[in-house]
Every structure is written in C-alpha cells, then in structure tokens.
C-alpha cells in the first residue's frame, strides 16, 4: 500500500507510521497469544491429559502385577514408559492366553489333552461350559467323529484298579500311578503321542481318524500289554497296573 501525505511534515509522517506499526504489532501479539492459548488447551485436553491417564493406569497395572520395571523413570518420558508398559502388557496377555488354553484343553495331572480338546479336534468347537460338553450349533455340525475315514478308531484304556489303590495307598499315590501310566505310554509309544487324551478318572483314550496300516491297532494293543505287564515301583510301593482296553472302529461301529 502506498500512502501520499499532503500538508504533513516528515516528523508527523514518521510518528503516524510508528503508531501504526505499534498498533499492528500489539494486535498481532494478541492474536498470537490467543492462538497459542487455544492450541495449548486443545493439546492439553486431547493429548497431554489422556497420556497422563494412560501413564498412571499402566503404572498402576504393572505395580499390581509385581512386574519389575527396568525402565528408568528418571528419564521423565511418558511416551517411552507407555511403549515399555505396552510391551509388558502384551507379554502378560500372551502368557494369560496360553495358561487359559492349557487350563481348558489340557489335563492338569497328566498334561495330556482332555475331553474338551478331543471334541475340539474331532467335532464342534463351541461347546465347553462349566465342565460339560454343549454343542451350540446344530447336531449335524457338532457330531463327533463324522470326519473319520475308513479304519478310523478310538481305543479306551482303563488304567489299573484305581479304586483299590486310592483306598489302600491314598489318592496321592493314585495320582502318581496315573502320571506314570501316561508317561509310560508316551515314552514307549511315541507314534500315538498326538492322539492320546485323558477322558477323566482312570480312562485314557487314543483317537485317530485313519489308521496308517491294518496292523496298527494290533501293535497298539501289543505295546500296551508289554508296558503294563510288569509291576512298577512308585514311592517305594510295588504296584501292578493292569489295563482294560475297549476298541471301536469307524464307520463299522458308528460315527459318534
């Protein structure tokens, strides 16, 4: 903008210019302060306060889980601490998920897959509720063993006289007998390790959708007889572990 002053001295012109410059500067300063204040409040509400809340929550969570914090808090860097805490929480979630799956699908005494795992592998997947098997979809979709091929089989192994062992030697010895039995099968019959389950009580089960050969079942029976033919020493007790075996073939003997 060009300005022509008529009838004004140079001193008056300079004075007017100075006043205008000061007015523009003060107005610009006011706008700048206002913009800074608005930006700060927005940044505080949208970023700083949420970050502090997340920081405090994570710190409280880690403290409640007794997690040793190797993060140096003296750095006073909330973002780094949040990143560190997130890694720790992810580890906790993964560990919890693994423990939960192990608790649901594995027997705590023998560490073998349990009945829930049997149904999940061979039938419906949405069924486990309060220790009982429930199919939430229609019966056809949940029918167990419908996917068995020719020569598929299940073999139930009844371990020893557990009632007599529990009554005479105590349940702790009975538990050791069950652990010993499952470990003997796994050690001496590794070819069926992926198909061995504990149904509960004194029953183990071998479930396979298709036999590799016609003499596979005969081999399993022979190996089980050899394993349990001799007595074993368990906590200074010489214990015989006789076994009873039941066999069903699919589809000859049924599909569920």
């Amino acid at each position: 903008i060009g300005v022509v002053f008529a009838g004004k001295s140079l001193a008056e012109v300079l004075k007017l210019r100075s006043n205008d410059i000061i007015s523009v500067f003060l107005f610009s300063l006011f706008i700048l302060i206002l913009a800074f204040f608005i930006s700060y409040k927005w940044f505080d509400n949208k970023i700083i306060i949420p970050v502090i809340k997340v920081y405090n929550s994570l710190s409280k969570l880690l403290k409640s889980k007794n997690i040793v914090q190797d993060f140096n808090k003296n750095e006073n860097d909330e973002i780094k601490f949040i990143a560190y805490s997130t890694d720790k929480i992810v580890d906790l979630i993964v560990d919890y998920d693994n423990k939960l799956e192990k608790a649901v699908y594995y027997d705590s005494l023998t560490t073998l897959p349990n009945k829930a795992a049997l149904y999940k592998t061979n039938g419906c997947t949405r069924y486990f509720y309060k220790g009982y098997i429930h199919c939430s979809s229609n019966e056809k979709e949940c029918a167990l063993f419908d996917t068995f091929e020719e020569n598929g089989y299940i073999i139930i192994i009844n371990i020893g006289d557990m009632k007599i062992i529990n009554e005479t030697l105590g349940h702790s010895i009975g538990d050791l007998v069950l652990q010993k039995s499952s470990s003997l099968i796994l050690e001496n019959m590794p070819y069926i390790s992926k198909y061995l389950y504990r149904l509960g009580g004194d029953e183990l089960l071998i479930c396979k959708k298709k036999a590799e050969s016609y003499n596979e079942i005969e081999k399993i029976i022979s190996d089980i007889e050899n394993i349990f033919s001799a007595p074993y020493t368990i906590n200074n007790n010489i214990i015989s572990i006789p076994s009873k075996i039941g066999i069903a073939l699919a589809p000859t003997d049924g599909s569920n």
Side-chain angles (χ1 to χ4, degrees):
I1 299 174
V3 181
V4 176
F5 291 93
K8 298 287 185 181
S9 66
L10 183 59
E12 290 179 301
V13 171
L14 292 176
K15 184 178 179 182
L16 286 172
R17 189 181 69 173
S18 298
N19 291 337
D20 290 339
I21 290 174
I22 293 172
S23 299
V24 170
F25 173 76
L26 292 175
F27 180 74
S28 301
L29 184 62
F30 171 76
I31 295 296
L32 183 64
I33 293 172
L34 182 62
F36 175 79
F37 177 77
I38 293 173
S39 301
Y40 173 78
K41 293 301 290 184
W42 180 89
F43 191 80
D44 187 54
N45 290 328
K46 298 294 184 180
I47 297 178
I48 295 177
I49 293 178
V51 165
I52 291 174
K53 287 182 178 179
V54 171
Y55 175 90
N56 292 333
S57 298
L58 291 174
S59 181
K60 184 178 180 181
L61 177 61
L62 294 186
K63 186 177 179 181
S64 67
K65 296 298 180 181
N66 295 321
I67 296 177
V68 177
Q69 299 181 12
D70 50 16
F71 178 82
N72 185 8
K73 277 194 170 184
N74 294 330
E75 293 181 14
N76 198 27
D77 191 332
E78 288 84 0
I79 301 299
K80 283 186 179 180
F81 178 76
I82 289 172
Y84 161 84
S85 303
T86 303
D87 289 339
K88 291 293 183 182
I89 290 171
V90 169
D91 292 339
L92 283 175
I93 293 172
V94 171
D95 182 60
Y96 174 78
D97 188 57
N98 292 334
K99 288 180 179 178
L100 181 62
E101 182 174 0
K102 190 173 181 180
V104 172
Y105 295 115
Y106 289 87
D107 175 57
S108 59
L109 181 63
T110 62
T111 70
L112 291 175
N114 58 17
K115 194 178 209 178
L118 174 70
Y119 272 72
K120 181 182 179 183
T121 304
N122 298 286
C124 63
T125 57
R126 301 181 298 274
Y127 54 85
F128 197 74
Y129 177 68
K130 290 187 177 179
Y132 295 95
I133 300 300
H134 299 270
C135 289
S136 60
S137 53
N138 63 62
E139 183 181 348
K140 200 169 195 180
E141 292 176 352
C142 280
L144 188 61
F145 312 130
D146 271 353
T147 57
F148 269 37
E149 300 180 35
E150 193 73 27
N151 299 322
Y153 61 87
I154 58 174
I155 298 176
I156 292 182
I157 307 166
N158 186 271
I159 301 297
D161 296 318
M162 294 305 301
K163 183 178 180 181
I164 296 175
I165 293 173
N166 288 330
E167 289 177 352
T168 56
L169 299 177
H171 287 274
S172 59
I173 298 297
D175 289 344
L176 291 177
V177 170
L178 289 172
Q179 289 175 332
K180 181 70 174 179
S181 301
S182 61
S183 63
L184 285 171
I185 294 175
L186 291 174
E187 291 168 8
N188 294 279
M189 302 169 63
Y191 59 94
I192 55 94
S193 60
K194 294 192 297 184
Y195 312 103
L196 183 64
Y197 301 83
R198 185 189 179 197
L199 288 184
D202 55 1
E203 289 184 335
L204 304 180
L205 178 139
I206 301 170
C207 175
K208 199 170 182 183
K209 292 184 178 182
K210 183 178 181 181
E212 299 295 332
S213 63
Y214 289 105
N215 63 352
E216 182 173 326
I217 294 176
E218 285 81 358
K219 177 174 173 54
I220 290 173
I221 295 171
S222 175
D223 287 345
I224 290 173
E225 288 177 343
N226 290 332
I227 290 171
F228 296 116
S229 60
Y232 290 91
T233 301
I234 300 176
N235 268 26
N236 298 321
N237 298 288
I238 299 175
I239 299 175
S240 295
I241 312 177
S243 61
K244 300 174 184 177
I245 302 174
I247 303 171
L249 302 176
T252 306
D253 298 321
S255 63
N256 56 41

